Amino acid sequence: MAQSKNECPSFNCSGKLLWGQLHCILEGLLSKDEDSGCVIPEAEPTGTILQRNFKYKVKAFPGRWEVKELVVQTEWKEEPFLAGFIIYCNEVAKPADVLKTCSELGMTSDVSKNVIYVNRYDWSWAHDLGDAPEELLFDANEEDGWSVINQFKENLAAQKDNSLIKEALLVDNKPVGVHLACPHTEYELGWLVFHPIKRDELIAIVYDGAYTGLEGNISLVD
């Protein structure tokens, strides 16, 4: 049965995930290293901004991963609005608990709580691709990673600017990830949440596409 455009997509994870925007996904695919909940990535000496060396690839808890919308009401905007998403493994992560921990931390990491914060300069348009040649964006083969990247590109080409995106990423007609975007996004924040015992395994990602810092009254929507 086809998924409704209003539903949040889900997928099964086999044990590793690539995360971030299109160029970050590509960088993660090419990386031999992985992000971890045990270590805050080193910062680049980039002048007036703080930018950390994420790998955009993680070990992740295997199983079914689901998505909930983050709806926020703030003092500076009367009506509640879609601010982002939480993507989580439903076997080990409770989204309300994950959101509470991240909102209490705010724009910071805490290794003792297994949370690594992703600043606005760590990804999105503020992050450069680095040494990977641009033509790799246009290569295609049958490997899953490249199939996902090509679909990601097609999704972006088909969407209007500042539109809501909730799409499953498919390989052989099976969902292997999600493509999510909020309307009117400029600065984006994130929190990588790792397993409390298997601390190199991701169990959730909180994506703040509206640059709220998770401040205000936040509710979860399926």
Side-chain angles (χ1 to χ4, degrees):
M1 181 180 294
Q3 177 181 289
S4 166
K5 290 292 184 181
N6 293 322
E7 294 178 359
C8 285
S10 61
F11 64 97
N12 289 319
C13 173
S14 62
K16 283 193 178 182
L17 289 176
L18 305 175
W19 62 275
Q21 295 80 14
L22 176 58
H23 58 307
C24 298
I25 294 288
L26 174 60
E27 190 169 338
L29 183 64
L30 299 174
S31 176
K32 296 180 180 179
D33 299 317
E34 297 169 344
D35 298 309
S36 167
C38 301
V39 179
I40 299 173
E42 293 183 358
E44 286 276 4
T46 51
T48 59
I49 67 171
L50 181 65
Q51 195 170 50
R52 297 193 179 277
N53 291 317
F54 284 96
K55 306 305 178 186
Y56 310 104
K57 176 189 289 185
V58 289
K59 292 184 178 68
F61 203 92
R64 183 177 177 84
W65 282 61
E66 299 181 349
V67 177
K68 289 185 182 293
E69 296 180 355
L70 302 181
V71 175
V72 177
Q73 186 167 16
T74 65
E75 294 180 355
W76 45 270
K77 195 168 184 178
E78 291 184 2
E79 295 297 323
F81 61 95
L82 177 66
F85 303 89
I86 177 170
I87 310 99
Y88 64 100
C89 179
N90 72 351
E91 297 180 22
V92 290
K94 296 180 179 179
D97 292 345
V98 167
L99 184 58
K100 182 176 184 292
T101 298
C102 294
S103 61
E104 288 175 350
L105 282 177
M107 297 183 190
T108 186
S109 298
D110 190 335
V111 173
S112 70
K113 295 184 178 179
N114 310 300
V115 177
I116 304 296
Y117 168 64
V118 185
N119 191 17
R120 68 184 190 180
Y121 297 114
D122 296 332
W123 59 348
S124 190
W125 57 267
H127 173 71
D128 293 329
L129 186 57
D131 296 330
E134 291 183 6
E135 59 266 22
L136 285 176
L137 283 170
F138 305 100
D139 286 348
N141 57 40
E142 297 301 317
E143 295 180 11
D144 289 357
W146 294 111
S147 297
V148 168
I149 284 173
N150 288 332
Q151 185 183 345
F152 206 167
K153 289 164 58 181
E154 291 171 3
N155 286 352
L156 289 173
Q159 296 286 345
K160 296 180 179 179
D161 291 341
N162 294 323
S163 60
L164 171 64
I165 301 175
K166 296 189 295 184
E167 299 282 351
L169 294 169
L170 306 176
V171 173
D172 295 330
N173 209 33
K174 296 179 181 179
V176 298
V178 290
H179 181 189
L180 305 168
C182 296
H184 308 295
T185 292
E186 182 177 2
Y187 294 128
E188 299 164 276
L189 307 176
W191 291 260
L192 306 178
V193 183
F194 291 83
H195 194 279
I197 298 174
K198 300 178 180 179
R199 299 182 63 197
D200 61 344
E201 288 193 5
L202 192 75
I203 61 172
I205 300 176
V206 178
Y207 168 63
D208 177 4
Y211 196 52
T212 68
L214 302 181
E215 295 181 351
N217 295 321
I218 307 174
S219 57
L220 294 169
V221 180
D222 291 324

